[in-house]
Amino acid sequence: MLALNEDIYVRWLDGRVWLEDSVETPRPVTGKELRERYAADLPALTAGLARLTENTVRVGPIDLVRFGRPKVLRNRVDWPIESGAAAGGPGGTFSIKSAAGRLEARVESYKPTLPIAVYMFTQLPIHHLFMRLHLLRVRGRDPLPGVPADPHRRRRAAVIDGVACVALTLLFARRKRLKALAGVSLGYHVACWSLSGRTLGGLIENQRVVAVDGSRPSAAQALVRFLALPWSWIQKRPVHDEVACTEVVAG
């Protein structure tokens, strides 16, 4: 099994894949709530593009994945995979459970329509991003994963990071510096947040970015956080942390 992150795993055999995403949770969650929250989060996390209707994940007119009747237990829900545009054949199970202080989402023995090599670089990253954000939303922001960083120190850290990105751009780019600055800023922030949670500004101001369960943000999660930054500037509140299910904590 290949670990893409401490909470994300994948393995494949004979054209079928096994996936697992998990996050810590401070409370147990019932199977009924897990089923209802998954149905609610599909449109919420896809801007209304995907919905769960009659046990089928639909994107517009396309039946992406058709499930059989879900089996709802005390602390888990299991959907048998039957067909759909994203399924290369029947078989396999999609399940979400709450156990031992963790929320876990698993796909077992699923046969994707796409060849495995293509699936690994297209459908798989989208699946992992959606499931991680979904599980973190079910977990909720309370209790916080640490002491929230002081807003003034957050702003100072942002200024330091901005200066660092400008300096790197001026050092390495000779032309099209605005485009280069955008690329440098994206790469700098996503790499720092996903590798350690700390940018240069965070290191100086003694703060770091974490997922709401206290774990390290995934690279895709960090990318979502960066892309949502303009909405935070417009609305003058940390929308990027809300969207990416992250928090900035002291220490």
Side-chain angles (χ1 to χ4, degrees):
M1 180 172 281
L2 174 65
L4 303 181
N5 179 288
E6 65 265 31
D7 301 319
I8 300 175
Y9 300 90
V10 57
R11 69 183 177 92
W12 57 93
L13 179 67
D14 296 332
R16 293 186 177 270
V17 295
W18 286 256
L19 314 171
E20 179 180 322
D21 296 85
S22 68
V23 303
E24 291 187 1
T25 180
R27 65 181 181 91
V29 185
T30 66
K32 179 183 178 185
E33 182 182 349
L34 291 172
R35 181 187 63 182
E36 292 173 349
R37 289 296 301 271
Y38 178 73
D41 271 356
L42 263 175
L45 288 172
T46 62
L49 294 176
R51 295 182 180 277
L52 183 65
T53 305
E54 298 177 350
N55 296 323
T56 299
V57 176
R58 291 195 172 101
V59 177
I62 301 172
D63 289 353
L64 198 64
V65 180
R66 284 193 288 271
F67 297 119
R69 185 174 180 177
K71 183 178 182 180
V72 182
L73 303 176
R74 180 177 59 85
N75 66 337
R76 68 182 292 162
V77 57
D78 299 327
W79 283 276
I81 300 170
E82 294 187 342
S83 60
T93 306
F94 169 52
S95 63
I96 308 175
K97 73 174 182 178
S98 170
R102 296 191 74 81
L103 292 170
E104 297 179 356
R106 291 184 179 180
V107 176
E108 298 181 307
S109 192
Y110 161 64
K111 183 178 179 60
T113 300
L114 296 172
I116 290 296
V118 178
Y119 168 83
M120 290 290 290
F121 292 98
T122 55
Q123 186 180 337
L124 179 63
I126 296 173
H127 169 84
H128 278 314
L129 173 61
F130 172 83
M131 289 312 309
R132 181 162 175 79
L133 292 179
H134 167 62
L135 294 177
L136 289 170
R137 283 165 63 96
V138 174
R139 186 265 183 199
R141 306 189 77 87
D142 295 321
L144 290 172
V147 178
D150 179 80
H152 298 292
R153 303 195 73 167
R154 288 188 63 167
R155 285 192 287 270
R156 288 201 296 267
V159 171
I160 293 169
D161 291 331
V163 171
C165 290
V166 169
L168 288 171
T169 301
L170 293 176
L171 182 62
F172 294 107
R174 294 293 179 264
R175 295 183 300 173
K176 297 182 179 179
R177 282 178 168 168
L178 283 179
K179 290 183 178 179
L181 177 60
V184 167
S185 297
L186 187 151
Y188 168 85
H189 286 90
V190 170
C192 289
W193 291 338
S194 61
L195 291 175
S196 67
R198 295 184 192 273
T199 58
L200 176 61
L203 184 64
I204 293 172
E205 293 296 333
N206 193 33
Q207 60 190 30
R208 58 193 174 92
V209 176
V210 296
V212 294
D213 70 332
S215 63
R216 178 168 51 91
S218 68
Q221 197 178 351
L223 176 60
V224 168
R225 187 176 193 267
F226 179 83
L227 295 177
L229 274 172
W231 281 269
S232 296
W233 300 333
I234 292 169
Q235 298 192 23
K236 298 181 179 179
R237 62 185 180 88
V239 176
H240 58 308
D241 282 319
E242 297 170 15
V243 171
C245 295
T246 54
E247 186 63 66
V248 183
V249 298

